[in-house]
Amino acid sequence: MRRTRSTTRKSLLARLVTVLLGLVVVGALCPAVALAQAEPPGTQATGLHISNGRLLEGNGNDFVMRGVNHAHTWYPNETQSLADVKALGANTVRVVLADGHRWTANSAADVANVVTQCKANKLICVLEVHDTTGYGEEAAAGTLDQAADYWIGLKNVLAGQENYIIINIGNEPWGNTDPAGWTAPTTAAIKKLRAAGFEHTIMVDAPNWGQDWQGVMRANAQSVYAADTTGNLIFSIHMYSVFDTAAEITDYLNAFVTAKLPLVIGEFGGPADQWGDPDEDTMLATAEQLDLGYLAWSWSGNTDPILDLSIGFDPTQLSAWGQRIFNGVNGIAQTSKEATIYGGGNPGDTQAPTTPGTPTASAVTATSATLSWTASTDNVGVAGYDVVRVSGGTETKVAASTTNSATVSGLTAKTAYTFAVYARDAAGNRSSRSATVNVTTADTPAGNCSVGYRVVGEWQGGFQGEITIRNTGTTAVNGWTLGFSFANGQTVSNMWGGTPTQTGAAVSVTPASYTSTIPAAGSVTVGFIGTKGATNTAPTAFTLSGSACTTT
């Protein structure tokens, strides 16, 4: 099942040869020229709609998507996943459907059930046809016109759901061959849906397998947007290994914001592969700074499991990638706000919650601390709390919670910190800051452990590895250093879930913030890309914080 990264990411070397020429041709190096200022939209949709470059709900409240993709068409029985991603804080889910050209079409009854499940779980639902993926380069791909016909066939199911759904006409509807051909069929499909009476917000994906590395969508966004007489059109960029530097990411996202053209990161990955290492930290930080939506790929069931957010569709078994997206800095738990159509806000509410009580610290370890405080009150209701680290005159948000306690992780052993808390309500009103609490973290303990090492895939000169560290003790391990040695001259070139240091054959790995704690009887996973020669023998001995581990 999709997504394997080789399916959508072609030779990076071939891209680099032509990318500068492509950027000059389409004007992507001059966004002020390539993207003209968007005019205010005309007639607005009944529900979700675009105004002044922003996605709004029917009541005029700004809505910023924070969610994931879910491969429904290949796993139609996994509808529990919608409730699971909601429970982890998502406000949106992008649902993979098929129109029958490449995969078995999802029936009207099935799509109606998906919409019902999204609404029951208070999720905004982005519905997309996947059969169009890589058209012009992928022989089995369908056209945007065929996808538009599929949506028209579902009109009776979708009409009246404008508050709850967005129609993503077709996934990554053009490959790397002649991407300039994307513009005309995209415009035609939009017009076809509007002529059929659709009032929904429509989403369109970029060419170049969604990554627009030749800048075609960026150069033609204004003309495509103008072709939609309702103005209710949002563009979707997919960010994988093409977007491996902060400059590439911020330049692309800011170009659309400056032009007041609506944009969402409709798919993105973080784990590195042989094509590069996406800079997911900049993607998340910039999306939060610019109030742009993002939808991570993908919940579970990928052919390439490195992109699974959860392991085996189990919400209690998040991968390192899943921990990053849901619980990391600028992740879903910290930034997601429920759509007001479900009661997640009251635009008439201007009263802030009362100040939370002074936090107290407990369960202080080398890398984490649990903070608790007396709950705030509010005239409508407290939606959640933000924990900040205070350093001089600056504050940094480090955790969010819907209850009056939170665990702050990713701390440094034997270090003093100062924390405080704010309360917020659903309308966005924020309380005064609580009094502060000082916390000094503990020294790093060693623990019982076992380590599993496997090679996920190999190619000439390189390979992808995965290391699972299990805590076999009865208490949590908080902060660790993993040690092992390669036997055949292998080297680690990229890693996720940890930071490697290598001297000769010896490798030392320290955790990322989201893998630093290993619960009793729990585990964390670290993945990496390595180089190799003709032989690739697995390490046979591992230590965790200096203690020997068993191997599995």
Side-chain angles (χ1 to χ4, degrees):
M1 290 303 167
R2 206 226 178 228
R3 152 151 355 239
T4 56
R5 296 170 78 89
S6 59
T7 300
T8 57
R9 250 60 63 193
K10 302 302 178 185
S11 171
L12 186 60
L13 289 177
R15 294 179 180 191
L16 293 175
V17 170
T18 57
V19 66
L20 290 178
L21 290 175
L23 290 174
V24 170
V25 170
V26 301
L29 293 177
C30 303
V33 175
L35 294 177
Q37 181 80 3
E39 295 298 324
T43 305
Q44 292 182 342
T46 304
L48 289 160
H49 62 276
I50 303 297
S51 179
N52 201 31
R54 302 293 304 165
L55 176 63
L56 307 181
E57 294 190 67
N59 60 12
N61 274 19
D62 205 54
F63 182 71
V64 180
M65 286 182 259
R66 289 287 184 265
V68 304
N69 288 263
H70 171 54
H72 171 74
T73 198
W74 303 310
Y75 301 99
N77 296 323
E78 296 289 347
T79 53
Q80 175 62 33
S81 297
L82 301 177
D84 293 338
V85 299
K86 174 63 178 182
L88 288 165
N91 64 19
T92 305
V93 63
R94 182 172 178 258
V95 179
V96 176
L97 301 176
D99 65 9
H101 182 86
R102 184 173 182 182
W103 294 286
T104 302
N106 294 91
S107 68
D110 181 49
V111 175
N113 181 57
V114 167
V115 174
T116 298
Q117 293 295 319
C118 282
K119 293 166 67 175
N121 288 291
K122 299 183 178 182
L123 289 163
I124 296 300
C125 203
V126 178
L127 304 174
E128 61 102 342
V129 163
H130 217 75
D131 305 64
T132 58
T133 305
Y135 178 80
E137 194 168 345
E138 172 57 65
T143 67
L144 283 170
D145 187 66
Q146 291 166 331
D149 287 339
Y150 174 74
W151 295 121
I152 291 170
L154 292 175
K155 185 178 178 184
N156 289 341
V157 170
L158 304 178
Q161 304 299 329
E162 292 86 354
N163 277 307
Y164 307 98
I165 67 172
I166 293 171
I167 298 174
N168 189 175
I169 304 178
N171 181 71
E172 300 180 359
W174 211 275
N176 292 327
T177 303
D178 186 28
W182 166 90
T183 305
T186 298
T187 301
I190 294 165
K191 290 182 175 180
K192 190 170 191 176
L193 290 177
R194 294 306 184 205
F198 281 81
E199 297 182 336
H200 308 71
T201 293
I202 290 174
M203 182 183 292
V204 294
D205 283 9
N208 294 129
W209 299 85
Q211 294 198 81
D212 201 30
W213 61 271
Q214 289 177 290
V216 171
M217 185 173 81
R218 178 170 166 169
N220 293 279
Q222 177 59 54
S223 64
V224 173
Y225 182 83
D228 184 354
T229 54
T230 72
N232 295 311
L233 184 73
I234 188 167
F235 297 92
S236 174
I237 182 66
H238 292 184
M239 290 186 164
Y240 291 95
S241 51
V242 166
F243 291 92
D244 57 359
T245 69
E248 291 167 328
I249 295 163
T250 57
D251 176 64
Y252 197 95
L253 299 181
N254 275 288
F256 277 77
V257 172
T258 299
K260 294 190 181 300
L261 287 166
L263 183 70
V264 63
I265 307 175
E267 286 186 22
F268 66 104
D273 64 14
Q274 58 265 45
W275 293 283
D277 186 1
D279 185 358
E280 70 275 16
D281 290 341
T282 297
M283 296 176 202
L284 293 168
T286 307
E288 178 64 9
Q289 175 193 356
L290 299 176
D291 282 335
L292 297 180
Y294 64 70
L295 303 169
W297 187 275
S298 81
W299 177 239
S300 199
N302 286 283
T303 305
D304 186 349
I306 196 174
L307 286 169
D308 282 355
L309 295 160
S310 69
I311 300 169
F313 295 92
D314 184 351
T316 68
Q317 294 292 319
L318 295 182
S319 66
W321 173 226
Q323 289 286 358
R324 175 69 188 92
I325 290 302
F326 285 103
N327 300 319
V329 176
N330 296 312
I332 287 172
Q334 285 190 5
T335 64
S336 176
K337 294 182 180 179
E338 185 179 275
T340 61
I341 192 68
Y342 297 122
N346 183 350
D349 179 13
T350 60
Q351 182 174 322
T354 60
T355 305
T358 303
T360 59
S362 62
V364 179
T365 70
T367 60
S368 66
T370 298
L371 304 178
S372 303
W373 55 88
T374 302
S376 300
T377 59
D378 186 68
N379 62 317
V380 175
V382 175
Y385 299 88
D386 296 323
V387 179
V388 296
R389 185 175 72 236
V390 181
S391 178
T394 64
E395 295 179 354
T396 303
K397 184 177 175 180
V398 293
S401 175
T402 57
T403 65
N404 61 322
S405 67
T407 298
V408 181
S409 58
L411 306 179
T412 302
K414 300 174 66 176
T415 303
Y417 293 90
T418 301
F419 299 106
V421 182
Y422 290 94
R424 49 183 163 77
D425 62 21
N429 301 307
R430 192 167 79 156
S431 73
S432 299
R433 194 179 80 185
S434 74
T436 60
V437 61
N438 296 319
V439 178
T440 299
T441 52
D443 202 354
T444 303
N448 298 321
C449 56
S450 68
V451 175
Y453 178 99
R454 73 184 183 105
V455 173
V456 177
E458 291 188 80
W459 54 93
Q460 185 174 3
F463 71 105
Q464 179 183 323
E466 183 178 88
I467 305 171
T468 300
I469 308 166
R470 295 178 176 84
N471 178 2
T472 59
T474 58
T475 59
V477 172
N478 294 287
W480 46 265
T481 299
L482 177 71
F484 62 93
S485 293
F486 285 119
N488 308 121
Q490 302 99 316
T491 61
V492 177
S493 53
N494 291 293
M495 178 173 282
W496 52 98
T499 301
T501 302
Q502 185 165 355
T503 303
V507 181
S508 177
V509 180
T510 55
S513 60
Y514 48 92
T515 58
S516 63
T517 298
I518 312 177
S523 65
V524 296
T525 300
V526 174
F528 67 92
I529 299 297
T531 62
K532 69 176 183 66
T535 305
N536 189 20
T537 305
T540 57
F542 298 87
T543 61
L544 193 69
S545 300
S547 297
C549 301
T550 59
T551 56
T552 58

Coordinates of all heavy atoms in Angstrom, one line a residue, residues 417-452:
Y417 N 15.4 24.8 36.0 CA 14.4 25.4 35.1 C 13.4 26.2 35.9 O 13.2 25.9 37.1 CB 13.7 24.3 34.3 CG 14.6 23.6 33.3 CD1 15.2 22.4 33.7 CD2 14.7 24.0 32.0 CE1 16.0 21.7 32.8 CE2 15.5 23.3 31.1 CZ 16.1 22.2 31.5 OH 16.9 21.5 30.6
T418 N 12.7 27.1 35.3 CA 11.6 27.9 35.9 C 10.4 27.7 34.9 O 10.5 28.0 33.7 CB 12.0 29.3 36.1 OG1 13.1 29.4 36.9 CG2 10.8 30.1 36.7
F419 N 9.3 27.3 35.5 CA 8.1 27.1 34.7 C 6.9 27.9 35.2 O 6.9 28.3 36.4 CB 7.7 25.7 34.7 CG 8.7 24.7 34.1 CD1 9.5 23.9 34.9 CD2 8.9 24.7 32.7 CE1 10.4 23.1 34.4 CE2 9.9 23.9 32.2 CZ 10.7 23.1 33.0
A420 N 5.9 28.3 34.4 CA 4.7 28.9 34.7 C 3.6 28.4 33.8 O 3.9 27.7 32.8 CB 4.8 30.4 34.7
V421 N 2.3 28.8 34.1 CA 1.2 28.2 33.4 C 0.2 29.4 33.0 O 0.0 30.3 33.8 CB 0.5 27.2 34.2 CG1 -0.7 26.6 33.4 CG2 1.4 26.1 34.7
Y422 N -0.3 29.3 31.8 CA -1.5 30.1 31.3 C -2.7 29.2 31.1 O -2.5 28.0 30.7 CB -1.1 30.8 30.0 CG -0.1 31.9 30.1 CD1 1.2 31.6 29.8 CD2 -0.5 33.2 30.4 CE1 2.2 32.6 29.8 CE2 0.5 34.2 30.4 CZ 1.8 33.9 30.1 OH 2.7 34.9 30.1
A423 N -3.9 29.7 31.4 CA -5.1 29.1 31.0 C -5.7 29.8 29.7 O -5.5 31.0 29.5 CB -6.1 29.1 32.1
R424 N -6.4 29.0 28.9 CA -7.1 29.6 27.7 C -8.4 29.0 27.6 O -8.7 27.8 28.0 CB -6.2 29.4 26.5 CG -5.8 28.0 26.3 CD -4.9 27.8 25.0 NE -4.1 26.6 25.1 CZ -4.6 25.4 24.8 NH1 -5.9 25.3 24.4 NH2 -3.9 24.3 24.8
D425 N -9.3 29.8 27.0 CA -10.7 29.2 26.7 C -10.8 29.0 25.2 O -9.9 29.2 24.4 CB -11.8 30.1 27.2 CG -11.8 31.5 26.6 OD1 -11.2 31.7 25.5 OD2 -12.4 32.5 27.2
A426 N -12.0 28.4 24.8 CA -12.2 28.0 23.4 C -12.2 29.2 22.5 O -11.9 29.1 21.3 CB -13.4 27.2 23.3
A427 N -12.5 30.4 23.0 CA -12.5 31.6 22.1 C -11.1 32.2 21.9 O -10.9 33.2 21.2 CB -13.4 32.6 22.7
G428 N -10.1 31.6 22.6 CA -8.7 32.1 22.5 C -8.3 33.1 23.5 O -7.2 33.6 23.5
N429 N -9.2 33.4 24.5 CA -8.8 34.3 25.6 C -7.8 33.6 26.5 O -8.0 32.4 26.8 CB -10.0 34.7 26.4 CG -11.1 35.4 25.5 OD1 -10.8 36.4 24.8 ND2 -12.3 34.9 25.5
R430 N -6.8 34.3 26.9 CA -5.7 33.8 27.8 C -5.7 34.5 29.1 O -5.8 35.7 29.2 CB -4.4 33.8 27.1 CG -3.3 33.0 27.8 CD -2.1 32.8 26.9 NE -1.2 33.9 26.9 CZ 0.1 33.9 26.7 NH1 0.7 32.7 26.4 NH2 0.8 35.0 26.7
S431 N -5.5 33.7 30.2 CA -5.4 34.2 31.5 C -4.1 35.0 31.7 O -3.2 34.9 30.9 CB -5.5 33.1 32.5 OG -4.3 32.3 32.5
S432 N -3.9 35.6 32.9 CA -2.6 36.1 33.3 C -1.8 34.9 33.7 O -2.2 33.8 33.9 CB -2.8 36.9 34.6 OG -3.6 38.1 34.3
R433 N -0.4 35.1 33.7 CA 0.5 34.0 33.9 C 0.5 33.7 35.4 O 0.4 34.5 36.3 CB 1.9 34.4 33.5 CG 2.9 33.2 33.4 CD 4.2 33.7 33.0 NE 5.0 34.3 34.1 CZ 6.2 34.9 33.9 NH1 6.7 35.0 32.7 NH2 6.8 35.4 35.0
S434 N 0.6 32.4 35.7 CA 0.6 31.9 37.1 C 2.0 32.3 37.7 O 2.9 32.8 37.0 CB 0.5 30.4 37.2 OG 1.7 29.8 36.7
A435 N 2.1 32.2 39.0 CA 3.4 32.3 39.7 C 4.3 31.2 39.2 O 3.8 30.2 38.6 CB 3.2 32.2 41.2
T436 N 5.6 31.3 39.4 CA 6.5 30.3 38.8 C 6.9 29.3 39.8 O 6.7 29.4 41.0 CB 7.8 31.1 38.3 OG1 8.4 31.7 39.4 CG2 7.5 32.0 37.2
V437 N 7.5 28.2 39.3 CA 8.0 27.1 40.1 C 9.4 26.8 39.6 O 9.6 26.8 38.3 CB 7.1 25.9 40.1 CG1 7.0 25.3 38.7 CG2 7.7 24.8 41.1
N438 N 10.4 26.6 40.5 CA 11.7 26.2 40.1 C 11.9 24.7 40.2 O 11.5 24.1 41.2 CB 12.7 27.0 40.9 CG 12.7 28.5 40.8 OD1 12.5 29.0 39.6 ND2 12.8 29.2 41.8
V439 N 12.5 24.1 39.2 CA 12.7 22.7 39.1 C 14.1 22.4 38.7 O 14.6 23.0 37.7 CB 11.7 22.0 38.1 CG1 12.0 20.5 38.1 CG2 10.3 22.3 38.5
T440 N 14.8 21.5 39.4 CA 16.2 21.1 39.0 C 16.1 19.6 38.7 O 15.7 18.8 39.5 CB 17.2 21.3 40.1 OG1 17.3 22.7 40.4 CG2 18.6 20.8 39.7
T441 N 16.4 19.2 37.5 CA 16.3 17.8 37.1 C 17.4 16.9 37.7 O 18.4 17.4 38.2 CB 16.5 17.7 35.5 OG1 17.7 18.4 35.2 CG2 15.3 18.3 34.8
A442 N 17.1 15.6 37.8 CA 17.9 14.7 38.4 C 19.1 14.2 37.5 O 19.1 14.6 36.3 CB 17.1 13.5 38.8
D443 N 20.0 13.5 38.1 CA 21.1 12.9 37.3 C 20.5 11.7 36.5 O 19.4 11.2 36.7 CB 22.2 12.4 38.2 CG 23.5 12.2 37.5 OD1 23.5 12.4 36.3 OD2 24.5 11.9 38.2
T444 N 21.2 11.3 35.4 CA 20.7 10.3 34.5 C 21.0 8.9 35.1 O 22.1 8.5 35.4 CB 21.4 10.4 33.2 OG1 21.2 11.7 32.6 CG2 20.9 9.3 32.2
P445 N 19.9 8.1 35.3 CA 20.1 6.7 35.8 C 20.3 5.7 34.7 O 19.9 6.0 33.5 CB 18.8 6.5 36.5 CG 17.8 7.2 35.7 CD 18.5 8.4 35.2
A446 N 20.8 4.6 35.0 CA 20.9 3.5 34.1 C 19.7 2.6 34.3 O 19.1 2.5 35.4 CB 22.2 2.7 34.2
G447 N 19.3 1.7 33.3 CA 18.2 0.8 33.5 C 18.4 -0.5 32.8 O 19.3 -0.6 32.0
N448 N 17.5 -1.4 33.1 CA 17.5 -2.7 32.4 C 17.0 -2.5 31.0 O 16.2 -1.7 30.7 CB 16.7 -3.7 33.1 CG 17.2 -4.0 34.5 OD1 18.4 -4.1 34.7 ND2 16.3 -4.2 35.5
C449 N 17.6 -3.2 30.0 CA 17.2 -3.0 28.6 C 17.4 -4.2 27.7 O 18.2 -5.1 28.0 CB 18.0 -1.8 28.1 SG 19.8 -2.0 28.2
S450 N 16.7 -4.1 26.6 CA 17.0 -5.0 25.5 C 16.9 -4.2 24.2 O 16.2 -3.2 24.2 CB 16.0 -6.2 25.5 OG 14.7 -5.8 25.1
V451 N 17.7 -4.6 23.2 CA 17.7 -3.8 22.0 C 17.5 -4.7 20.8 O 18.1 -5.8 20.7 CB 19.1 -3.1 21.8 CG1 19.2 -2.4 20.5 CG2 19.3 -2.1 23.0
G452 N 16.6 -4.3 19.9 CA 16.4 -5.0 18.7 C 16.9 -4.2 17.5 O 16.6 -3.0 17.4

